[in-house]
Amino acid sequence: GDSVTQMEGPVTLSEEAFLTINCTYTATGYPSLFWYVQYPGEGLQLLLKATKADDKGSNKGFEATYRKETTSFHLEKGSVQVSDSAVYFCALRGKAAGNKLTFGGGTRVLVKP
Amino acid sequence: NAGVTQTPKFQVLKTGQSMTLQCAQDMNHNSMYWYRQDPGMGLRLIYYSASEGTTDKGEVPNGYNVSRLNKREFSLRLESAAPSQTSVYFCASIFGQEASYEQYFGPGTRLTVT
């Protein structure tokens, strides 16, 4: 079945540092890929998505590129802020899964001033 | 436009008690989902409703029941709570297909079963 693996946290960074969160997936066919962010005490919000190979999703300074050859969708941001402290979830929507999303375990990011 | 709302925000139950978690969306979406979130395990699908009048089991349905009351509301019921059901519960509604697809999440209900 479909699965998503992302790096375990917590990831602790200083403000203005470069952030990378690795995400790899297993799925049949060509799934759509998503990054969701969860701020403390809140629900998940869509951060960015990519629906086909080589697509780059971007939002709020974050980027991720759909790499079919390495089955990866790594999240990056060049200069993090304290306000980026949150839990980040990688997810996929398999072609055979209807509307179902499969989530990774989440990566907690803490940005210190 | 409130999006997806959930009640209550917090709840403590004793083992064996029952309760219903409420979820409503005002975006006229057909599909609604219930997830539970446990540390290090991401979100796991409990039940979903593809449209009004239909419900289906997800990955972890045991110990839960659902009702799709109308297009707006989708409730989750714990008939006899167990400590293993201590978790954060999220409701979501689904919009779109393919490139426009997106799930909208509620703020969550934090449930503790003692």
Side-chain angles (χ1 to χ4, degrees):
Chain A
D2 297 344
S3 67
V4 177
T5 302
Q6 60 182 109
M7 56 192 293
E8 290 191 23
V11 174
T12 304
L13 303 165
S14 297
E15 214 166 16
E16 299 183 3
F18 186 87
L19 170 67
T20 299
I21 304 176
N22 290 338
C23 171
T24 57
Y25 66 89
T26 302
T28 54
Y30 304 102
S32 297
L33 301 173
F34 304 82
W35 276 102
Y36 280 84
V37 59
Q38 183 182 30
Y39 298 105
E42 298 183 10
L44 279 69
Q45 302 173 28
L46 179 65
L47 182 59
L48 53 85
K49 64 183 179 184
T51 57
K52 59 183 187 296
D54 300 325
D55 268 2
K56 178 185 283 188
S58 61
N59 186 25
K60 298 182 180 180
F62 290 89
E63 292 184 339
T65 301
Y66 188 162
R67 301 287 188 199
K68 175 176 170 293
E69 62 277 11
T70 55
T71 61
S72 64
F73 193 54
H74 305 322
L75 183 69
E76 297 181 335
K77 185 174 185 181
S79 178
V80 294
Q81 305 299 314
V82 172
S83 57
D84 294 323
S85 297
V87 181
Y88 294 82
F89 292 92
C90 187
L92 71 83
R93 179 188 179 207
K95 293 302 183 186
N99 279 329
K100 298 176 190 177
L101 286 179
T102 299
F103 286 87
T107 301
R108 182 176 299 277
V109 172
L110 177 61
V111 181
K112 297 187 174 181
Chain B
N1 187 336
V4 180
T5 58
Q6 293 182 236
T7 56
K9 289 191 186 305
F10 301 94
Q11 183 71 47
V12 179
L13 293 177
K14 295 188 188 312
T15 296
Q17 288 185 317
S18 62
M19 78 162 295
T20 299
L21 282 66
Q22 306 287 352
C23 174
Q25 52 92 9
D26 61 2
M27 296 174 282
N28 203 36
H29 293 165
N30 286 321
S31 299
M32 297 182 72
Y33 281 41
W34 275 107
Y35 293 93
R36 59 178 288 171
Q37 182 185 25
D38 301 296
M41 300 185 73
L43 275 70
R44 293 183 293 169
L45 183 63
I46 304 171
Y47 269 94
Y48 65 101
S49 171
S51 61
E52 185 179 354
T54 68
T55 61
D56 285 286
K57 295 179 181 179
E59 183 184 354
V60 288
N62 292 344
Y64 305 95
N65 283 301
V66 290
S67 295
R68 183 74 183 268
L69 304 170
N70 47 55
K71 193 171 186 179
R72 288 187 65 249
E73 298 171 290
F74 187 39
S75 61
L76 178 71
R77 182 158 178 84
L78 287 70
E79 292 290 352
S80 179
S84 61
Q85 293 178 305
T86 293
S87 188
V88 182
Y89 291 85
F90 289 99
C91 178
S93 68
I94 314 299
F95 169 80
Q97 297 289 330
E98 299 307 325
S100 64
Y101 174 92
E102 184 170 344
Q103 287 202 17
Y104 292 83
F105 287 83
T109 295
R110 186 174 295 274
L111 174 67
T112 302
V113 183
T114 62

